[in-house]
Amino acid sequence: QVQLVESGGGLVQAGGSLRLSCLASGSILSINVMGWYRQAPGKQRELVATITSRGSTDSTDYADSVKGRFTISRDNAKNSVYLQMNSLKPEDTAVYYCNAEGVLLRYHSGTFGYRGQGTQVTVSS
């Protein structure tokens, strides 16, 4: 069984910063894509950022709304992904979910996808 556990959410004033962390645990051999999604009340879930493992160089992708403010990174040895969020705005308020795709597991064929339970980020104006 694989679990993704997020941490680092909280309440911050506009212009402040937060750093989200996500740790994937279980019989994991590798994870192809890790990312963050968010869902605000009354809105659809949206992609925030993804990071794809490509050997020595990872490939990143960001939603236009967070480009230049958020930075995604990962530590493959720890099966972890991070989201550094700077210059936060009230519209960044949402539950942030960690996501893992293309997960290779010991003793299993094929790949799998997983999502965490989410962590609340609230930005006050």
Side-chain angles (χ1 to χ4, degrees):
Q1 186 73 11
V2 173
Q3 285 190 321
L4 272 61
V5 179
E6 303 99 334
S7 61
L11 173 64
V12 64
Q13 287 188 332
S17 298
L18 282 174
R19 186 175 189 251
L20 304 184
S21 299
C22 173
L23 171 65
S25 61
S27 300
I28 299 170
L29 291 174
S30 65
I31 302 174
N32 185 25
V33 183
M34 300 193 80
W36 293 92
Y37 290 74
R38 67 186 181 186
Q39 187 165 19
K43 295 187 177 181
Q44 289 187 331
R45 189 173 71 249
E46 64 171 343
L47 171 70
V48 176
T50 61
I51 183 164
T52 302
S53 179
R54 300 199 185 282
S56 59
T57 303
D58 294 330
S59 172
T60 59
D61 191 24
Y62 296 92
D64 288 342
S65 59
V66 306
K67 283 181 180 176
R69 300 188 297 122
F70 291 10
T71 302
I72 190 170
S73 61
R74 64 188 290 173
D75 184 335
N76 292 331
K78 297 180 180 179
N79 289 324
S80 295
V81 64
Y82 310 95
L83 186 68
Q84 178 65 44
M85 305 186 294
N86 298 329
S87 302
L88 282 161
K89 304 175 181 180
E91 50 264 44
D92 294 319
T93 295
V95 177
Y96 285 70
Y97 297 91
C98 174
N99 197 69
E101 298 175 7
V103 181
L104 281 172
L105 301 176
R106 292 183 179 89
Y107 316 121
H108 290 78
S109 60
T111 59
F112 302 86
Y114 299 92
R115 183 184 306 158
Q117 298 280 359
T119 185
Q120 177 71 45
V121 172
T122 303
V123 185
S124 63
S125 57

